[in-house]
Amino acid sequence: MHPDQLPVTPETVRGLVAAQFPQWRDLPVRELAPGTVNAVFRLGDALVARFPLQPGGADGLRAEAEAAVKLAAHTRFAVPEPVAFGAPGPGYPLPWSVLTWVPGDVAGASSDGLAEDLAELIADLRGIPTEGRTFGGRGRGGRIAAQDEWMRTCFANSEGLLDVPRLRRLWADLRDRPRGDAPDVTSHGDLMPGNVLVRAGRLTGVIDVGGLGPADPALDLVGAWHLLDAGPRAALRSRLGCDEAEWQRGRAWAFVQSMGLVWYYRRSNPGMAGIGRRTLARVLAS
């Protein structure tokens, strides 16, 4: 998926686990569907090992573990808990982590129940104190118009894939949505399918919490477009009490993220590209 991606095989994982954590050496190792940031392997029934796919990707392992502990203390939904940290070894040059396994299925079908639970999760996230910190200036979560350069890249790479003139017109409108004086709040930063787990249509857990931090309060509203159709989306908005400015900023953040998914993953991860297309369709229709 990435030009500098590191290969990680089940054999490598078995060797690293056996050498560094002999108490788990007899647990079965099963490779899971690839993520975009980590290679993920199930260790037995209760654990999961995550291996960053790119050089530099291990820099935030301990920060992610701290974020998981913090979020778990503020929500009833399951969060992967840090168990151990692995070191570089034969076949893999970076640190890696072992976490508890969070059961559930990747969120798919939209429902009022999922909307209710997602609103609760977003409220839980917003309730985590920022401790005076503000958005760090990288990625999504600050001023929407700061994404102009990234959007130019996306539009250029989306020619022939999407209706770029129509999308440019929409961006010209969304980029100027006002922020006002709304302070940063704690956000997950990536509430999309794959990171939101469900059972019987209800949210059970949230994973990939490494992006937890202060951001525009509208950032986590990307989940409204990634995960929900129009009716449940309206229910989520009502439950959270979003005004029009905040709601449209959430729509803008969903647009920014989805534009990148379609062209970047069109060959390496068609499922992720498909999520981008579906979310763009919802953004355009709303």
Side-chain angles (χ1 to χ4, degrees), residues 184-199:
D184 287 352
V185 299
T186 301
S187 297
H188 176 280
D190 198 14
L191 291 179
M192 63 179 301
N195 293 336
V196 176
L197 303 179
V198 301
R199 280 284 169 86

Side-chain angles (χ1 to χ4, degrees), residues 43-134:
L43 298 181
D45 294 328
L47 301 174
V48 61
R50 299 168 75 234
F51 295 79
L53 289 171
Q54 295 174 279
D59 294 347
L61 285 181
R62 293 191 180 274
E64 181 175 9
E66 293 172 3
V69 171
K70 183 179 293 187
L71 177 55
H74 285 83
T75 187
R76 67 180 176 87
F77 302 109
V79 179
E81 300 176 16
V83 177
F85 295 97
Y92 186 73
L94 302 177
W96 47 286
S97 61
V98 179
L99 310 168
T100 55
W101 172 255
V102 176
D105 304 311
V106 172
S110 171
S111 70
D112 289 339
L114 179 57
E116 178 182 341
D117 294 341
L118 186 62
E120 180 182 344
L121 174 63
I122 292 172
D124 291 343
L125 286 157
R126 291 175 173 181
I128 300 174
T130 61
E131 300 173 342
R133 295 178 301 137
T134 57

Side-chain angles (χ1 to χ4, degrees), residues 200-227:
R202 303 304 297 252
L203 194 154
T204 59
V206 59
I207 62 175
D208 281 356
V209 300
L212 192 80
D216 179 355
L219 181 59
D220 278 343
L221 296 179
V222 297
W225 280 269
H226 280 314
L227 299 163

